[in-house]
Amino acid sequence: MKQLFALALTAMVFHPTAAAMAADAARGEQLYGSRCAGCHSVEVNRIGPKHRGVFDREAGTVPDYDYSDALRDSKVVWDEASLDAWLTKPQDFIPGQKMFFSLRNAEERADIIAYLQQVSE
Amino acid sequence: MSEEIIQSRRRFLTDGSKATLSTAAVVLLAGCGGAVAQARMDSDPAQDAAILNVALGLEHEAINAYQIGAESGLLQQPVLETAVLFQSHHKAHRDALVDAIRSLGGTPVEEKSISEYAKELQADTIGSQGDILMLAARLEKGAANAYLGVIPSFTDPTLAQVSGRLAADETMHWTVLASALGQQVPQQALSFGA
């Protein structure tokens, strides 16, 4: 029983990298609604900045959003790799910024990133 | 007195202050001192205050969303009464978070005007009680997931437990709202958090 539990726990925690999996933008939209929409919206700034056009955009540049200095000065450009690192643990990727929500599931990250790419096209 | 001893004393005072601040925040949020564990010496009050400030932003938004719903004239009893009850829960969360952020040495984020929240939540698209319930359910589910998603970032594990308690309140709200909307119960386990 203990071994089964350990296996299940391992399966939950250790996933292949987001880039290694085929991402599903439709599932990403659903996940965005449950995981991200508490603070974000595609079209308007809320607790967090809006996401329309986030791909290829320099971090900290959405007009009328009050960014942390750390994010504004980061010079990060959002793409698949940087978004994956950001969503995995934002405070490690850009120390001093103000988003502390992290998505530990690589498959969910990949799907959400695919959706963000879709709303940026 | 050697520089090493001076630095050691400074470190002791700083760490002690951190622990005191963090413990005070936990007591304020937990609502009772007796069951609260001692804050860890390696906690980072500034980071924990920043996390709680995001939570406070969510609570401000939820309070105003329910206010927009209550003032819309679209809510019928007993839905209106339930909405006002849920709003009172969010006000209690807000007050506890404000006190906790201050005790951690942070500055609580200010509430915006209700018209700003109405714009951000696209309240002009609301035309029925169902629309309001859908909005509230979306915000509650989002808040529950947000509270769960920040748990690993707290440097004080007792604040992480408080975040779990806040998530439980939001999940309870979402469950009632989803039921009122006739939404299907999630078919998969572990549907919240990630």
Side-chain angles (χ1 to χ4, degrees):
Chain A
M1 188 65 189
K2 275 184 180 175
Q3 284 175 324
L4 273 177
F5 180 72
L7 276 172
L9 197 61
T10 304
M12 287 165 65
V13 174
F14 297 103
H15 296 272
T17 63
M21 292 178 294
D24 181 344
R27 183 167 178 268
E29 182 175 9
Q30 288 184 336
L31 288 166
Y32 183 90
S34 62
R35 302 287 190 262
C36 312
C39 296
H40 291 276
S41 146
V42 171
E43 303 295 351
V44 293
N45 294 331
R46 289 178 46 224
I47 313 296
K50 62 185 172 186
H51 281 145
R52 175 79 68 196
V54 65
F55 249 76
D56 298 327
R57 184 165 71 204
E58 190 174 326
T61 57
V62 170
D64 301 323
Y65 183 77
D66 183 23
Y67 287 99
S68 61
D69 291 342
L71 198 72
R72 200 182 297 110
D73 298 339
S74 69
K75 305 295 180 195
V76 166
V77 174
W78 296 122
D79 58 18
E80 191 177 324
S82 59
L83 281 168
D84 188 55
W86 168 257
L87 292 172
T88 301
K89 199 164 185 188
Q91 192 63 12
D92 283 359
F93 188 56
I94 304 177
Q97 56 73 45
K98 62 183 183 183
M99 180 172 117
F100 293 89
F101 178 89
S102 56
L103 267 173
R104 300 302 170 97
N105 184 309
E107 193 177 349
E108 291 193 354
R109 287 199 305 276
D111 291 343
I112 287 171
I113 291 166
Y115 172 63
L116 292 174
Q117 186 163 21
Q118 190 178 75
V119 300
S120 297
E121 289 169 352
Chain B
M1 191 178 295
S2 75
E3 183 61 26
E4 188 180 351
I5 292 171
I6 292 169
Q7 285 185 351
S8 172
R9 286 184 177 178
R10 280 179 184 155
R11 196 160 47 242
F12 173 78
L13 288 168
T14 306
D15 289 349
S17 301
K18 277 184 179 178
T20 304
L21 283 170
S22 195
T23 303
V26 169
V27 169
L28 285 163
L29 275 173
C32 59
V36 173
Q38 278 292 313
R40 285 166 49 155
M41 287 300 217
D42 58 353
S43 65
D44 181 345
Q47 175 163 320
D48 287 343
I51 300 170
L52 295 179
N53 242 331
V54 175
L56 178 58
L58 285 169
E59 298 296 344
H60 284 321
E61 186 182 65
I63 291 163
N64 280 275
Y66 280 113
Q67 192 63 34
I68 290 165
E71 291 177 1
S72 69
L74 296 168
L75 296 182
Q76 307 299 313
Q77 294 293 8
V79 173
L80 176 58
E81 188 180 355
T82 305
V84 172
L85 174 66
F86 288 178
Q87 186 191 44
S88 76
H89 295 168
H90 288 292
K91 286 179 177 176
H93 294 170
R94 173 200 61 195
D95 295 345
L97 286 165
V98 165
D99 289 344
I101 290 163
R102 287 197 177 122
S103 81
L104 288 166
T107 303
V109 65
E110 294 284 336
E111 186 176 19
K112 301 174 197 172
S113 69
I114 193 166
S115 60
E116 285 178 277
Y117 287 111
K119 185 180 172 190
E120 291 175 10
L121 297 171
Q122 298 173 297
D124 57 337
T125 63
I126 291 171
S128 68
Q129 176 169 281
D131 290 343
I132 294 169
L133 291 175
M134 288 282 283
L135 170 64
R138 178 167 58 82
L139 294 179
E140 297 285 9
K141 189 175 192 178
N145 279 314
Y147 280 125
L148 292 170
V150 298
I151 282 175
S153 299
F154 280 106
T155 64
D156 181 340
T158 320
L159 284 171
Q161 183 188 20
V162 171
S163 192
R165 295 184 67 199
L166 292 164
D169 266 2
E170 317 302 27
T171 307
M172 177 267 289
H173 294 170
W174 174 80
T175 304
V176 171
L177 294 163
S179 176
L181 285 162
Q183 291 180 353
Q184 193 179 30
V185 172
Q187 299 298 295
Q188 302 293 323
L190 302 171
S191 61
F192 280 84

